[in-house]
Amino acid sequence: MMKNITKITCIGAGYVGGPTMSVIAQKNPAIQVKVVDLNTARISAWNDEDLSKLPIYEPGLAQVVQEARGRNLHFSTDVAGAIAEADMIFISVNTPTKTYGKGRGQAADLKFIELCARQIAEVATSDKIVVEKSTLPVRTAEALKSILDNTGNGVNFHILSNPEFLAEGTAIADLHAPDRVLIGGEHPEAIAALAQIYEAWVPKERILTTNVWSSELSKLVANAFLAQRVSSINAISELCEVTGANVEEVAHAIGKDSRIGPKFLKVSVGFGGSCFQKDILNLVYIARSYHLDAVANYWEQVILLNDHQKMRFAEHIIKTMYNTVNGKQITVLGWAFKKDTNDTRESAAIYVADHLLAEEAQLVVYDPKVSAEQVYRDLDSLGSRTPADNRRLVRVENDPYIATANAYAVAILTEWDEFRSYDWERIKKQMKKPSFIFDGRKLLDKIALVNLGFHYYAIGE
Ligand code: UDX
Ligand code: ADP
């Protein structure tokens, strides 16, 4: 019989580990939850008295942290100590796309996962349940098991897959009321132990159990299907633009079909985020490694279309502005990959900006939650030009009215609600004439803006 879980450790205090463990601790006051990370700055931020300094911005997160932190939720850099004392260990470290060697640009880099496994094997002196929380390629659990069983000191490890389906910006709401919790594993008691933790607040019928591989694959497939819907509507947006159809009307009309459903049909300048592209590339890589080329090509197209959507939006800006943006100020409103998050990973804004910078546009960036350092880091990491050139060509402002002064054009790249309520008349007055708005999220009120005299272009119209 497996003993009751009283101590949980989570390795990785990022976008997944931080919010997930905060909610597990909130809902299970009798369990001590420790979140550990090698990154000392990140851990200090999680421990900051000032809750506005938490390393992640998520609506509702600060309240959850406030409730549980110090009681049964702790953040620490003592990885080994936390592993040793835990009954259950969640692995929530990052699994970026490989940038070197075999599978470069497609396969997931599992070095952080392997390091965790080795450290667990080295430190553990009692039996443990190890839970994969990071999104991983199918059959990673097997690799984990092999490392743990072959380097451990007679300790029993049970591996479970428990993929996270939360979306950023709604993480706390998603964690509080998940559509489903998925647990993949072989050992019934280990599965029951993890299920019990979720049963503290999730109705039993929403907790699904499968074998490990189905669970691992389901995570990739869920993200691939979601991304595919976005690419599908974005593909139609280009067709709408040339035929005079309106993509929002088309999305509404097809979404009324209950078999299709209304969600995830919002046209955009392209999907971003840490998951969609990475997970599809992973799926493609796995399919190719089994020589399933037709399957691989099918899913790869979702990404190619997404790249096309970002590029054609940037191209449209250039073409509309008389085929040159050289030296012209273009104000980018929104840098995060979606609203209500400070996360910029794979954000469409980065690639649209890069394309405009290649044409020597002068960019001014404003995002309510993204820092100037992050904007420069994102551009520098592309390696398209020197850091000095990025700073020469890009200015980051923290006031939207200062950011739009003297602009030839405004490009909306994230769907932040506040952009709707700006005083667009005031903005119009201080912009160059003609004043262009390129709305990559179909966010603003077209009629009102046209009445103010803007040249307004929305994607998909
Ligand atoms: C996604 C999955 O939704 C989540 O279940 C998984 O755990 C992680 O990956 P996330 O990346 O946080 O979550 O955000 P999501 O809301 O899925 O949006 C991803 C991207 O698609 C964003 O750039 C968003 O703007 C874009 N998108 C989404 C659209 O362009 N149109 C839509 O209709 C929906
Ligand atoms: P995700 O979106 O998957 O949560 P993040 O990059 O936000 O990804 O978070 C992953 C965290 O995992 C980072 O803060 C990183 O420092 C941490 N991490 C990676 N490897 C280890 C390790 N071996 N031990 C502890 N923490 C680790």
Side-chain angles (χ1 to χ4, degrees):
M1 204 32 217
M2 195 158 285
K3 72 178 182 108
N4 254 347
I5 304 293
T6 57
K7 287 190 171 143
I8 292 178
T9 285
C10 172
I11 309 179
Y15 282 91
V16 173
T20 308
M21 291 305 127
S22 299
V23 169
I24 285 183
Q26 179 196 29
K27 301 293 187 185
N28 289 277
I31 300 179
Q32 288 296 319
V33 179
K34 204 171 260 183
V35 190
V36 292
D37 203 297
L38 298 170
N39 183 333
T40 44
R42 211 164 209 189
I43 290 298
S44 322
W46 279 111
N47 282 321
D48 206 303
E49 281 300 309
D50 178 355
L51 290 165
S52 72
K53 300 239 168 71
L54 294 183
I56 288 164
Y57 171 73
E58 276 294 334
L61 173 63
Q63 291 90 305
V64 177
V65 170
Q66 184 169 37
E67 184 182 333
R69 198 174 61 185
R71 178 187 73 186
N72 67 325
L73 174 66
H74 311 274
F75 296 93
S76 153
T77 51
D78 178 15
V79 181
I83 291 174
E85 65 184 32
D87 311 311
M88 181 180 276
I89 301 172
F90 287 80
I91 303 185
S92 300
V93 301
N94 38 335
T95 49
T97 302
K98 269 184 93 175
T99 52
Y100 55 87
K102 185 161 181 255
R104 178 171 185 264
Q106 289 203 323
D109 193 339
L110 297 179
K111 71 176 174 206
F112 301 114
I113 296 280
E114 177 162 350
L115 275 171
C116 284
R118 289 187 184 280
Q119 195 168 12
I120 294 169
E122 202 180 296
V123 172
T125 54
S126 58
D127 294 357
K128 309 216 179 280
I129 299 173
V130 176
V131 185
E132 306 176 337
K133 200 66 181 150
S134 316
T135 306
L136 298 165
V138 187
R139 297 202 166 258
T140 306
E142 219 166 26
L144 269 179
K145 183 145 184 58
S146 157
I147 295 169
L148 289 169
D149 287 349
N150 288 303
T151 46
N153 20 15
V155 169
N156 288 313
F157 294 105
H158 300 298
I159 319 278
L160 299 176
S161 157
N162 174 218
E164 189 48 73
F165 295 105
L166 66 81
E168 287 174 32
T170 54
I172 298 301
D174 295 345
L175 285 163
H176 278 159
D179 287 344
R180 76 328 204 163
V181 168
L182 181 57
I183 301 175
E186 276 157 26
H187 192 274
E189 286 179 22
I191 294 175
L194 180 55
Q196 198 175 14
I197 291 166
Y198 285 107
E199 279 165 24
W201 79 98
V202 179
K204 250 192 169 113
E205 63 276 11
R206 294 204 179 177
I207 302 177
L208 314 181
T209 55
T210 64
N211 77 31
V212 181
W213 306 298
S214 301
S215 170
E216 289 177 327
L217 187 58
S218 297
K219 168 71 189 194
L220 296 184
V221 173
N223 276 345
F225 269 61
L226 291 169
Q228 180 203 41
R229 279 177 74 96
V230 178
S231 272
S232 295
I233 200 69
N234 283 347
I236 298 306
S237 74
E238 190 170 10
L239 197 55
C240 286
E241 287 168 28
V242 294
T243 54
N246 179 328
V247 73
E248 244 165 16
E249 293 175 352
V250 174
H252 182 71
I254 64 166
K256 284 287 179 199
D257 185 323
S258 63
R259 293 167 303 175
I260 297 174
K263 294 181 182 169
F264 256 74
L265 290 177
K266 179 83 187 121
V267 67
S268 68
V269 57
F271 62 74
S274 69
C275 286
F276 281 1
Q277 170 152 327
K278 185 184 81 177
D279 288 354
I280 294 178
L281 286 172
N282 225 308
L283 200 59
V284 169
Y285 183 74
I286 294 167
R288 276 210 214 292
S289 69
Y290 288 104
H291 308 292
L292 307 180
D293 283 334
V295 177
N297 292 342
Y298 175 76
W299 287 107
E300 193 165 38
Q301 202 57 40
V302 173
I303 294 189
L304 296 179
L305 196 285
N306 195 48
D307 289 339
H308 170 70
Q309 185 79 345
K310 296 179 263 189
M311 280 315 105
R312 80 177 187 87
F313 185 77
E315 279 300 325
H316 183 87
I317 293 178
I318 296 163
K319 200 170 129 217
T320 309
M321 295 175 76
Y322 317 109
N323 282 313
T324 174
V325 291
N326 184 313
K328 290 182 183 164
Q329 180 188 322
I330 300 175
T331 298
V332 169
L333 292 184
W335 193 262
F337 80 97
K338 61 188 257 192
K339 73 171 178 179
D340 293 341
T341 178
N342 61 345
D343 193 349
T344 65
R345 288 178 286 179
E346 291 301 326
S347 179
I350 303 169
Y351 298 94
V352 171
D354 186 55
H355 199 75
L356 296 173
L357 290 171
E359 295 294 323
E360 293 270 324
Q362 287 282 337
L363 298 189
V364 178
V365 177
Y366 167 77
D367 185 288
K369 289 287 173 197
V370 179
S371 68
E373 293 73 42
Q374 187 61 46
V375 172
Y376 290 125
R377 214 173 311 151
D378 290 337
L379 289 170
D380 291 348
S381 73
L382 291 178
S384 304
R385 61 196 67 74
T386 64
D389 276 341
N390 281 329
R391 280 148 193 79
R392 175 174 65 81
L393 292 169
V394 182
R395 201 172 87 221
V396 181
E397 290 292 350
N398 48 26
D399 178 301
Y401 296 99
I402 296 176
T404 47
N406 298 315
Y408 285 78
V410 169
I412 309 273
L413 299 185
T414 311
E415 75 283 22
W416 286 102
D417 291 328
E418 65 169 61
F419 298 163
R420 283 206 187 94
S421 55
Y422 286 173
D423 181 348
W424 285 98
E425 187 169 9
R426 175 175 163 201
I427 291 174
K428 172 81 176 43
K429 282 198 186 109
Q430 53 172 13
M431 282 176 66
K432 295 265 197 282
K433 311 292 169 320
S435 318
F436 294 98
I437 296 180
F438 298 96
D439 189 345
R441 297 285 185 164
K442 231 170 170 318
L443 181 76
L444 303 180
D445 180 348
K446 174 183 176 170
I447 295 173
L449 292 170
V450 171
N451 284 341
L452 287 175
F454 279 106
H455 291 239
Y456 176 80
Y457 160 82
I459 197 135
E461 202 177 294

